[in-house]
Amino acid sequence: IKPCAKVPSMIFATFVENAFKHGVTYEHESVIDINVVTTASEIIFNCYNTKPKTPKTQKPGGLGLANVRKRLDLLYGDSYSIEVQDTPENYRVVVKLPLTLNCVG
């Protein structure tokens, strides 16, 4: 049996979409760095992006992070974490999910 790791469908899509939506600018070089690693006990998703010097006009919304938190609460209770670092220059989100083995399919 091969080991595998299950991640809820599309759970990281919000963070990737936001990195491109809010991180790409023509003012200066834009950086987006996305990676996923596993340890013996968890899956770690890391998404980093630089931000424009001139903030883009924000439209009402901002439900993506709240919806992801609600979904993860339902799936994992208190056994996951989301860390957000938001500065004027960059944005980083780190999501840690417990590793699930014995996947089927």
Side-chain angles (χ1 to χ4, degrees):
I1 298 175
K2 291 183 179 181
C4 66
K6 281 193 169 185
V7 175
S9 175
M10 303 297 288
I11 202 71
F12 302 132
T14 296
F15 305 116
V16 174
E17 178 183 355
N18 285 346
F20 283 90
K21 181 178 177 182
H22 300 293
V24 176
T25 180
Y26 295 106
E27 295 177 339
H28 57 81
E29 182 178 345
S30 300
V31 176
I32 296 174
D33 182 39
I34 301 166
N35 65 66
V36 179
V37 296
T38 58
T39 68
S41 61
E42 62 189 358
I43 299 167
I44 304 168
F45 170 84
N46 183 14
C47 185
Y48 168 89
N49 62 273
T50 54
K51 293 165 58 175
K53 289 180 175 48
T54 307
K56 295 179 181 177
T57 304
Q58 293 291 327
K59 294 180 182 176
L63 297 175
L65 180 58
N67 286 339
V68 169
R69 285 184 193 273
K70 287 178 186 177
R71 187 167 171 214
L72 291 175
D73 283 343
L74 290 171
L75 292 168
Y76 294 103
D78 62 356
S79 63
Y80 78 95
S81 68
I82 295 179
E83 178 185 340
V84 176
Q85 299 169 345
D86 189 1
T87 71
E89 295 83 28
N90 56 61
Y91 185 89
R92 177 184 305 275
V93 63
V94 179
V95 180
K96 296 181 181 180
L97 304 176
L99 188 61
T100 304
L101 296 177
N102 301 325
C103 303
V104 178

